[in-house]
């Protein structure tokens, strides 16, 4: 028989029992759909990790203060550790000048802020020179404050995208005035949206879109009136943004900075150092294992679907014994019978795999829509799952096809 005739015969056989054929396809549909959906979740998480790294840079280091209390605080005060401070920033800058490009201090405060007769919940961040380069943040409207404004402790501010959208709406923020405590600051810029929450790289970060940035000198001398009189304040600053020269090993730089701070803080653990690149590498290893496990779980669905195809094809062989005998009596060879049943099994897999692709895409978008997780559908997962489903159908269709071909034509012609 020609292949076109085999194909037509196979389709006719499947359409004779449409409901049974559909139930048989379900294994392939859900198997392929599960593979695509699970791989899309893993690929989406990896894409978010890469975006997270871009936000913090692949040569960046972040030193953050850790709040200590009770006996640990008493021990720190006895050892005369002053917590994370501006002097740490200057010391790192001078001691590590051979491999560090930027060292930028940051002070974060919960000041009362009034804008357009509103009192939004925000963080006021006093930052030093080079903050944009060290953080990889970008300005969307207006500009960031200059070194001159930093030195003069100018009364200027740059708003996070979320704050600007909430309080100003359609009104142009640049050029407006806001009040921080009792002091008026002019808005000179608005930051690009950064995203919020805990990063996928486990980088602890707040909602930067709700920050208001001012020069650190303005924070110190206009708002806090340094030197501080409150002796209960342990940390002078909240964090240090560090940019390492590209040719220098990032982890070696991290270790040197950690050693310097440990000595200066008398071995008091009151800070933590995060390296986004290192966290990304760890995250990718975990993600690969996670993707493998998900693919194996989804592969089980394909295996179950293949077993379903074999069972149905065996039932079909038993039902069509007389048909097989007639074909053999009319001159059909054993290979013709094998091909006929393999074509039917392949058609079930082909149509089921095609519907499964559509199902997987729908599931991926539904997961993204209802959970907020990012999903990315790699074309490789679509093609691999589709062709694997066809291969599974053919493999599990071999046994029924061979069984049909081995039947004795004389005996099956007498079968009722």
């Amino acid at each position: 028989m020609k292949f076109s005739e085999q194909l037509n015969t196979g389709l006719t056989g499947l359409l004779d029992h449409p409901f049974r054929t559909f139930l048989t396809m379900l294994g392939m549909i859900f198997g392929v759909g599960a593979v695509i959906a699970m791989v899309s979740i893993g690929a989406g998480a990896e894409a978010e990790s890469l975006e997270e790294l871009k936000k913090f840079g692949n040569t960046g280091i972040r030193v953050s203060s850790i709040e200590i209390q009770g006996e640990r605080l008493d021990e720190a005060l006895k050892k005369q550790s002053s917590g994370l401070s501006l002097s740490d920033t200057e010391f790192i800058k001078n001691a590590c000048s051979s491999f560090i490009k930027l060292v930028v201090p940051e002070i974060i405060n919960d000041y009362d802020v009034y804008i357009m007769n509103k009192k939004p919940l925000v963080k006021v961040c006093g930052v030093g020179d080079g903050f944009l380069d060290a953080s990889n943040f970008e300005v969307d409207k207006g500009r960031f404050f200059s070194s001159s404004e930093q030195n003069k402790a100018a009364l200027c501010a740059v708003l996070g995208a979320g704050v600007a959208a909430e309080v100003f709406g359609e009104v142009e923020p640049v050029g407006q005035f806001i009040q921080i405590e009792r002091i008026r600051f002019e808005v000179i810029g608005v930051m690009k949206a950064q995203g919020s929450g805990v990063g996928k790289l486990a980088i602890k970060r707040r909602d930067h879109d709700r920050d208001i940035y001012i020069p650190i000198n303005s924070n110190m001398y206009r708002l806090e009136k340094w030197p501080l009189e409150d002796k209960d304040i342990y940390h002078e600053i909240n964090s240090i943004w560090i940019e390492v020269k590209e040719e220098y090993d990032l982890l070696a730089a991290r270790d040197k900075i950690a050693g310097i701070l440990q000595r200066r803080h008398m071995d008091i653990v009151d800070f933590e150092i995060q390296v986004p690149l290192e966290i990304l590498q760890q995250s990718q290893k975990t993600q690969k294992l996670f993707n493998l496990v998900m693919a194996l779980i989804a592969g089980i669905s394909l295996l179950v679907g293949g077993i379903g195809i074999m069972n149905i094809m065996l039932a079909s062989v038993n039902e069509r014994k007389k048909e097989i005998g007639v074909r053999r009596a009319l001159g059909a060879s054993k290979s013709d019978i094998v091909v006929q049943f393999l074509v039917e099994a392949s058609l079930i897999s082909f149509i089921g795999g095609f519907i499964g692709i559509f199902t997987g895409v729908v599931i991926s978008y539904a997961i993204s829509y209802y959970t907020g997780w990012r999903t990315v559908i790699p074309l490789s997962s679509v093609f691999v799952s589709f062709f694997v489903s066809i291969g599974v159908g053919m493999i599990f269709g071999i046994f029924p096809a061979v069984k049909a071909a081995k039947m004795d034509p004389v005996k099956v012609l007498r079968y009722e």
Side-chain angles (χ1 to χ4, degrees), residues 87 92 120 169 270 283 402:
S87 61
I92 293 172
D270 54 8
S283 176
V402 172

Side-chain angles (χ1 to χ4, degrees), residues 1 123 163 194 218 228 250 283 298 371:
M1 295 177 66
K123 297 286 187 182
V163 180
Q194 302 295 331
S218 304
L228 297 174
L250 197 60
S283 176
T371 66

Side-chain angles (χ1 to χ4, degrees), residues 63 87-97 100 103 240 242 257 260-261 264:
V63 182
S87 61
D88 288 332
T89 303
E90 293 300 320
F91 193 92
I92 293 172
K93 188 183 299 183
N94 295 329
C96 306
S97 59
I100 282 182
V103 183
I240 304 173
I242 299 173
I257 292 168
I260 289 172
L261 291 176
R264 286 180 57 81

Side-chain angles (χ1 to χ4, degrees), residues 132-160:
L132 290 183
D133 293 328
S135 65
N136 288 320
F137 293 172
E138 296 179 14
V139 175
D140 184 34
K141 298 178 181 178
R143 61 180 180 85
F144 211 72
F145 38 83
S146 64
S147 298
S148 175
E149 289 168 322
Q150 178 76 257
N151 296 332
K152 293 187 297 185
L155 299 178
C156 55
V158 179
L159 305 183

Side-chain angles (χ1 to χ4, degrees), residues 40-288:
S40 71
I41 293 172
E46 185 174 356
E48 285 203 358
S49 296
L50 291 173
E51 286 188 4
E52 196 79 15
L53 177 66
K54 289 179 182 178
K55 289 180 181 180
F56 288 87
N58 57 4
T59 57
I61 295 176
R62 180 83 178 273
V63 182
S64 302
S65 61
I66 297 177
E67 184 179 354
I68 59 174
Q69 296 177 340
E71 294 181 358
R72 290 178 60 197
L73 179 59
D74 293 337
E75 181 186 1
L77 295 176
K78 286 179 182 178
K79 291 184 176 181
Q80 296 183 338
S81 173
S82 59
L84 207 59
S85 63
L86 281 174
S87 61
D88 288 332
T89 303
E90 293 300 320
F91 193 92
I92 293 172
K93 188 183 299 183
N94 295 329
C96 306
S97 59
S98 61
F99 60 87
I100 282 182
K101 290 196 294 186
L102 287 170
V103 183
V104 182
E106 180 182 37
I107 301 174
I108 305 170
N109 288 294
D110 294 312
Y111 291 132
D112 290 330
V113 177
Y114 302 91
I115 310 174
M116 303 280 286
N117 296 321
K118 298 177 182 178
K119 188 180 178 183
L121 294 175
V122 299
K123 297 286 187 182
V124 178
C125 306
V127 295
D129 279 337
F131 176 76
L132 290 183
D133 293 328
S135 65
N136 288 320
F137 293 172
E138 296 179 14
V139 175
D140 184 34
K141 298 178 181 178
R143 61 180 180 85
F144 211 72
F145 38 83
S146 64
S147 298
S148 175
E149 289 168 322
Q150 178 76 257
N151 296 332
K152 293 187 297 185
L155 299 178
C156 55
V158 179
L159 305 183
V163 180
E166 177 188 340
V167 296
F168 287 107
E170 298 299 323
V171 178
E172 174 58 49
V174 178
Q176 302 290 335
F177 285 87
I178 65 174
Q179 182 176 322
I180 304 177
E181 295 295 334
R182 297 183 179 180
I183 302 176
R184 278 163 50 93
F185 285 74
E186 181 182 1
V187 177
I188 63 171
V190 177
M191 303 293 288
K192 280 188 177 179
Q194 302 295 331
S196 61
V198 177
K200 304 299 179 185
L201 298 181
I203 298 174
K204 296 178 182 178
R205 61 185 183 91
R206 63 189 179 278
D207 187 348
H208 291 289
D209 290 336
R210 301 200 62 79
D211 288 347
I212 295 177
Y213 299 96
I214 62 174
I216 194 170
N217 288 339
S218 304
N219 188 98
M220 292 166 54
Y221 302 116
R222 303 279 193 173
L223 294 171
E224 291 186 351
K225 307 296 184 183
W226 279 41
L228 297 174
E229 297 178 359
D230 189 351
K231 301 302 181 182
D232 293 332
I233 296 178
Y234 180 70
H235 293 288
E236 290 181 348
I237 60 177
N238 296 88
S239 57
I240 304 173
W241 299 72
I242 299 173
E243 182 77 7
V244 178
K245 294 179 181 178
E246 293 182 2
E247 64 272 14
Y248 198 85
D249 183 77
L250 197 60
L251 299 184
R254 185 270 314 271
D255 293 340
K256 288 189 177 182
I257 292 168
I260 289 172
L261 291 176
Q262 284 175 356
R263 290 191 297 272
R264 286 180 57 81
H265 292 213
M266 309 299 177
D267 291 324
I268 300 296
V269 182
D270 54 8
F271 67 91
E272 62 178 351
I273 300 181
Q274 293 178 314
V275 181
L277 182 61
E278 180 185 27
I279 298 173
L280 174 66
Q281 292 170 346
Q282 294 172 352
S283 176
Q284 285 179 326
K285 289 180 182 178
T286 304
Q287 192 64 51
K288 286 179 181 178

